Each structure stands twice: as C-alpha cells, then as structure tokens.
Amino acid sequence: MGRITVRRPVLKLSTAGVRGRRPDTLAVEEPLEIRVAGRPLTITMRTPGDDFDLVAGFLAAEGIIGRADDLVAMRYCADTTEQNTLDVALAAGVELPDDLMTRAFTTTSACGVCGKSSIEALRVQRPYDVAADGLSLTPATLAALPGRLREAQRVFDRTGGLHAAGLFDGAGELLVLREDVGRHNAVDKVVGWALNKGLLPLSGRVLMVSGRASFELTQKAMQAGIPVLAAVSAPSSLAVELAEDAGMTLVGFLRGESMNVYTGAHRIDVGR
C-alpha cells in the first residue's frame, strides 16, 4: 500500500507578516487505474489504501457485480512500478455492459460520475428494494453520527484534507469508516468492504458522509441497499429526486441537534 500522507514544507503567514516555516502533513492523491481482464476501464484519483474495497465498491455501484463471488481475483499489475493499477478477474457468467469497455472514463477526486454520457445512464437497474426497508431512527441517534464519524477520522486529524464515509447500524454504532480525497471513493470503499464480507444488501444501515449529498453518493447508497443517507452539508436537487424515487431517507445539514429531512421522513421517529 502506498503512503496516505506526505510531509511538505510550508511558509506560515499572517496579516502581521511571516511567522516562519514548518513541515505540513498533506493527504496523498494518486491515480488508480482499474482494468478488467487486462483491459483498461477507468482511472480514479484516490488516496492509497483499501484499494480492493474501492474497486469492489465501484463495480457494485456500476451494477457489474452484486456479491463477493462475482470477483474471482484482484491483483496489482506487475507491469507498473507503483501499486496504482489493479486488474480484476470476474466470475464466469458475470457479463459486462455492452458499452462498458468503450466508454472508459476518468473520475476525479471531486466527481464520481465524470464521463457518463447522460444522467439517465446512471439510473441503473436497482438490485434491492430500498423502499421496503423498515429501519426507524430517532433524531437523537442521527444527531450523534457526525461526532462519531469525526472521532474516527485518524488521517483527517493530521491533514484536514480527507472526506469520510461511515456505515452505522440502527443504534448509531459505527461499523466501518473509510477516508479518501474523493467523496465517491470513500463511499465505494465502504460498500466494497461490505460486499467482500457478504453483507449486501445493507438493510437497516445508515451511510454518513462528511460533505454534501450528491447524486452519485445517493446512487451508490441505493445500489448497496442502504435505506438512509445522512450528510453534514447540503444535498443536490438531483440527489433528492433520486432518493425520493428510490424510497430512501435523505438527511442533510446534520449538525449539532438540527437536521433537514428531505425524503423518507417516515423512518424518523419524532414521537420518542
């Protein structure tokens, strides 16, 4: 695994003038090329670490795989000097979409859907009935999630430059946390972790993200069967539309004791 942080010199300034030079810790951002049977599929900018989970989660979000058995093997390619290329072998019978290898695309750390031909192309077949999930949460349980997510962010404490995604159970207990320079990567790592452990669909679970709730994060949560997506910042209009259409609960501006429930308010028990 590559380094997840590096030290670089920085000139510290204030309005009063130069305050000195000191080393600063930065989050590493490096490309990861994903290949399927030796053929390039995509390049994503990510923080090294949990790459196998990242790739599994990405393939699950694309609707290519749905369980750990769909993956025969993943390995770093020997023809590269760095561990920045992963080749995936899929199980017999796992078919790739017809246009998959012809629309190879690059994703940045800011956007998980760059290169898609249209928004409609993202409305992949839904493998799970998220709308039927009977999870019920109290506002107090939701309000505690950002603090628990923040407490578990070890790399963020050193860099201040990583997004986090955490998977919680209905009681608000943290099951797994992943950090990355990309919001979508952090979510893919969480979903890939769950897929590799045979936990999909993630019924009765809450996905908490440290930034905003975008369309691609909502789509990834939906593909994993997660009924509740919560974010400390705002959702996009398209994220709200997708969550409502899928029967998900979408919570934004989850800060302190307040929050906005944009869809699926029936899962929030305000009577307790």
Side-chain angles (χ1 to χ4, degrees):
M1 183 184 74
R3 294 178 298 172
I4 61 176
T5 62
V6 294
R7 299 282 280 175
R8 291 288 186 270
V10 61
L11 176 64
K12 188 72 172 179
L13 299 177
S14 73
T15 54
V18 177
R19 298 180 59 184
R21 295 178 181 273
R22 63 177 177 81
D24 191 30
T25 301
L26 304 177
V28 170
E29 181 176 26
E30 292 182 352
L32 176 69
E33 179 180 343
I34 302 172
R35 299 177 183 176
V36 177
R39 300 177 62 189
L41 170 61
T42 186
I43 298 174
T44 185
M45 302 302 296
R46 97 303 189 194
T47 300
D50 304 302
D51 286 340
F52 284 19
D53 287 344
L54 169 60
V55 172
F58 171 81
L59 295 175
E62 288 288 311
I64 299 169
I65 63 174
R67 57 183 185 175
D69 290 347
D70 291 337
L71 289 171
V72 173
M74 280 190 282
R75 63 178 182 85
Y76 289 104
C77 294
D79 62 346
T80 58
T81 57
E82 303 289 340
Q83 289 186 328
N84 284 333
T85 304
L86 266 179
D87 194 19
V88 179
L90 300 177
V94 178
E95 298 182 359
L96 299 177
D98 292 337
D99 68 336
L100 186 63
M101 305 310 294
T102 60
R103 68 169 179 84
F105 53 93
T106 299
T107 65
T108 71
S109 59
C111 172
V113 298
C114 301
K116 296 283 189 173
S117 59
S118 68
I119 291 299
E120 286 305 314
L122 287 169
R123 296 186 182 277
V124 294
Q125 182 178 356
R126 297 169 188 173
Y128 308 114
D129 185 7
V130 179
D133 196 296
L135 177 63
S136 180
L137 301 163
T138 66
T141 297
L142 283 168
L145 300 188
R148 292 174 182 172
L149 187 76
R150 179 67 182 81
E151 289 172 1
Q153 285 187 261
R154 293 175 296 174
V155 181
F156 181 89
D157 284 338
R158 290 183 285 164
T159 66
L162 290 182
H163 294 284
L167 186 68
F168 293 83
D169 64 18
E173 294 299 318
L174 180 63
L175 303 176
V176 65
L177 175 136
R178 292 291 184 263
E179 293 179 280
D180 200 279
V181 288
R183 287 183 297 268
H184 63 287
N185 288 338
V187 172
D188 279 342
K189 288 178 178 181
V190 167
V191 174
W193 169 87
L195 181 141
N196 287 325
K197 288 187 173 296
L199 299 177
L200 295 187
L202 290 169
S203 306
R205 302 292 186 258
V206 180
L207 180 65
M208 177 78 212
V209 295
S210 60
R212 62 187 178 88
S214 59
F215 176 90
E216 68 266 22
L217 299 194
T218 307
Q219 185 247 352
K220 290 175 185 294
M222 177 191 72
Q223 284 294 101
I226 300 172
V228 179
L229 172 61
V232 298
S233 192
S236 68
S237 62
L238 203 57
V240 173
E241 291 177 21
L242 179 61
E244 185 171 43
D245 186 54
M248 293 174 57
T249 298
L250 180 58
V251 179
F253 292 106
L254 182 53
R255 305 169 183 173
E257 297 183 355
S258 67
M259 66 200 75
N260 291 347
V261 181
Y262 292 88
T263 65
H266 63 282
R267 292 194 177 94
I268 314 301
D269 188 349
V270 296
R272 300 182 193 178

